């Protein structure tokens, strides 16, 4: 493999984990190989390694060398056929082909066919999912003057149907949808098109925010539930999100996505009396943003006031004020697709390769 084709998969040990996550987004394989300037292999870092590092430390500026696996699996050229079996056995996305000195010469990839979560196809069978589908979608006018936001098509499939399909990959069969604006259109569409799942509709008489309508759901949940906005697609292992929620002992877990913002100017840092302390050319700022997908323990629903406008962020703030555990599950920027604005809708279509649909 030529150097320019290797480059998207190589990273310096001194790069930050935020940079690594962005590079992983770029190569689309979920993995980077950590090398020195001579391409000698020092370690490997995956999106899972980064997630574990962030959950442990919360430090986006940590060096890749701190989060990487220092004992990666490798193969020599003559071992490539055995390497294919090795990747299948250990679910490794890619293996480096090295020489006797440990220098990377090539990469071999395990091509995924069909559903990448096929082995998780019943992992969330008993997990209820609530889709918040009651908003007017004012940012998407004039589309939402005609269609409710959940039925806005991405390609030729409504966004809510795509969300449901993702959860169906993990065996979810119990869906709730909170509805208000143009609710009859939503119910009519899914009555006709819901083939192998059922949706229970929770009807708001007035807007109740992103959490208020949860108090309208009859009965009580006995296990954690997933709540998601109706305008986001999350590329992640949903069963792993639930597992991390339980393992961490969280009462509420937010799925968060890395967001990188480049300031398009030279930034001046000053000190007292207007003295220039330093200058920084086009710095990059990195933050985690709320994606609008949550895991909730059933008991926290009692914290939501009845018949009142109340957001999920209000619920998180209330739990934190009571010193109850609110955690996050970080994903990469490219794993979070939001169709709340026109530009983001176009990005979602590009990400899903829907240009030909």
């Amino acid at each position: 493999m030529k150097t320019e084709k290797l480059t998207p998969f190589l990273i310096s040990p001194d790069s930050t984990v935020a940079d690594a996550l962005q590079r992983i987004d770029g190569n689309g394989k979920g993995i980077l190989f950590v090398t020195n300037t001579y391409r000698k292999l020092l370690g490997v870092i995956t999106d899972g390694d980064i997630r574990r590092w962030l959950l442990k430390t919360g430090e986006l500026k940590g060096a890749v060398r701190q989060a990487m696996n220092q004992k990666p699996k490798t193969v020599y050229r003559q071992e490539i056929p055995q390497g294919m079996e090795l990747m299948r056995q250990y679910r490794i996305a890619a293996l480096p082909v090295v020489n006797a000195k440990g220098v990377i010469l090539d990469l071999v990839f395990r091509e995924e066919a069909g559903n990448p979560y096929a082995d998780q196809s019943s992992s969330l069978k008993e997990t209820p999912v609530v889709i918040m589908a009651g908003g007017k979608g004012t940012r998407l006018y004039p589309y939402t003057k005609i269609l409710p936001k959940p039925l806005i098509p991405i390609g030729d499939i409504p966004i809510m149907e795509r969300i449901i399909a993702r959860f169906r990959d993990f065996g979810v069969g119990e869906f709730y949808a909170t509805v208000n604006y143009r609710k009859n259109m939503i119910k009519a569409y899914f009555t006709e098109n819901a083939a192998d799942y059922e949706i229970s509709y929770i009807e708001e008489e007035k807007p109740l925010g992103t959490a208020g309508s949860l108090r309208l759901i009859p009965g009580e949940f006995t296990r954690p539930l997933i709540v998601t906005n109706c305008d986001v697609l999350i590329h992640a292992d949903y069963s792993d999100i639930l597992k991390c929620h339980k393992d961490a002992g969280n009462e509420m877990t937010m799925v968060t996505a890395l967001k990188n913002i480049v300031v398009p100017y030279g930034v001046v840092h000053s000190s007292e009396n207007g003295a220039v302390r330093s200058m920084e050319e086009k710095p990059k700022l990195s933050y985690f943003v709320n994606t609008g997908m949550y895991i909730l323990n059933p008991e926290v629903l009692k914290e939501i006031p009845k018949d009142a406008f109340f957001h999920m962020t209000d619920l998180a703030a209330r739990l934190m004020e009571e010193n109850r555990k609110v955690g996050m599950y970080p994903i990469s920027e490219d794993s979070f697709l939001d169709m709340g604005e026109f530009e983001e809708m176009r990005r979602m279509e590009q990400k899903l390769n829907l240009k030909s649909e």
Side-chain angles (χ1 to χ4, degrees):
M1 183 180 288
K2 293 182 178 180
T3 301
E4 59 268 23
K5 292 187 177 181
L6 281 173
T7 299
F9 301 94
L10 307 182
I11 193 167
S12 161
D14 298 319
S15 297
T16 67
V17 293
D19 288 335
L21 203 53
Q22 191 170 23
R23 294 280 302 280
I24 282 174
D25 269 350
N27 70 39
K29 294 295 185 180
I31 193 168
L32 289 169
F33 299 98
V34 187
T35 62
N36 64 14
T37 54
Y38 302 103
R39 289 216 314 262
K40 182 175 181 180
L41 183 65
L42 305 176
V44 64
I45 189 165
T46 66
D47 50 0
D49 293 324
I50 294 172
R51 184 173 299 112
R52 285 185 286 274
W53 165 263
L54 292 172
L55 289 173
K56 181 180 178 181
T57 69
E59 183 52 68
L60 279 167
K61 294 184 178 180
V64 164
R65 66 170 74 250
Q66 297 173 284
M68 71 182 187
N69 173 4
Q70 298 182 36
K71 296 181 179 180
K73 297 185 183 301
T74 63
V75 292
Y76 297 117
R77 282 202 185 278
Q78 63 271 25
E79 298 174 333
I80 289 177
Q82 297 95 308
M84 294 296 182
E85 177 56 36
L86 193 68
M87 285 189 288
R88 283 190 289 270
Q89 181 181 351
Y90 291 98
R91 300 183 66 188
I92 299 171
L95 274 178
V97 180
V98 300
N99 64 16
K101 294 183 178 180
V103 174
I104 294 182
L105 304 175
D106 203 349
L107 300 173
V108 290
F109 298 98
R110 178 170 65 95
E111 297 299 333
E112 296 287 352
N115 175 15
Y117 304 116
D119 58 346
Q120 303 283 2
S121 59
S122 61
S123 58
L124 298 183
K125 185 177 180 181
E126 304 298 327
T127 302
V129 170
V130 181
I131 301 172
M132 311 302 287
K136 289 186 176 181
T138 53
R139 292 182 298 166
L140 291 175
Y141 277 179
Y143 287 1
T144 47
K145 286 186 177 180
I146 302 169
L147 289 173
K149 183 167 59 173
L151 297 187
I152 296 292
I154 303 300
D156 59 358
I157 299 174
I159 178 63
M160 184 168 155
E161 190 173 1
R162 288 190 181 276
I163 292 170
I164 289 171
R166 285 286 168 87
F167 282 107
R168 293 292 295 136
D169 286 343
F170 294 86
V172 174
E174 183 181 5
F175 292 94
Y176 296 83
T178 65
V179 294
N180 183 334
Y181 179 69
R182 297 191 181 277
K183 60 187 177 184
N184 290 333
M185 289 182 68
I186 298 170
K187 293 166 70 173
Y189 178 87
F190 285 100
T191 297
E192 183 176 340
N193 291 280
D196 59 349
Y197 56 88
E198 292 185 359
I199 303 175
S200 300
Y201 294 97
I202 312 304
E203 300 188 20
E204 296 177 332
E205 296 301 323
K206 60 182 180 180
L208 293 174
T210 54
S213 56
L214 294 177
R215 285 304 300 267
L216 299 177
I217 299 176
E220 294 187 0
F221 294 106
T222 58
R223 61 181 67 239
L225 60 147
I226 299 174
V227 180
T228 181
N229 291 348
C230 72
D231 54 2
V232 298
L233 276 179
I234 304 297
H235 288 277
D237 183 340
Y238 294 171
S239 62
D240 189 60
I241 298 174
L242 181 60
K243 181 179 184 299
C244 285
H245 169 83
K246 293 177 178 178
D247 290 349
N250 295 338
E251 292 194 66
M252 177 180 189
T253 297
M254 293 183 181
V255 178
T256 61
L258 183 67
K259 187 70 174 178
N260 295 299
I261 303 168
V262 176
V263 179
Y265 304 100
V267 172
V268 176
H269 300 283
S270 63
S271 57
E272 296 176 358
N273 302 317
V276 174
R277 177 166 47 86
S278 64
M279 293 179 290
E280 190 176 4
E281 190 63 29
K282 297 181 180 179
K284 183 174 73 175
L285 308 177
S286 298
Y287 299 98
F288 282 112
V289 299
N290 182 5
T291 65
M293 181 174 172
Y294 311 85
I295 313 292
L296 300 178
N297 284 356
E299 60 269 16
V300 307
L301 298 181
K302 297 176 183 178
E303 300 293 330
I304 300 171
K306 293 182 178 180
D307 198 34
F309 190 91
F310 200 72
H311 279 315
M312 293 295 287
T313 49
D314 298 324
L315 177 59
R318 177 170 292 186
L319 293 174
M320 289 186 288
E321 286 172 3
E322 297 173 358
N323 293 317
R324 296 166 70 175
K325 196 167 182 181
V326 177
M328 74 168 190
Y329 184 94
I331 61 175
S332 70
E333 184 171 12
D334 214 36
S335 296
F336 167 46
L337 300 177
D338 175 13
M339 59 155 267
E341 297 180 350
F342 290 112
E343 187 60 37
E344 288 298 303
M345 282 180 63
R346 287 189 282 270
R347 189 175 80 89
M348 184 181 285
E349 289 177 340
Q350 291 170 357
K351 177 67 178 177
L352 295 174
N353 296 317
L354 298 178
K355 287 299 183 181
S356 61
E357 290 191 19

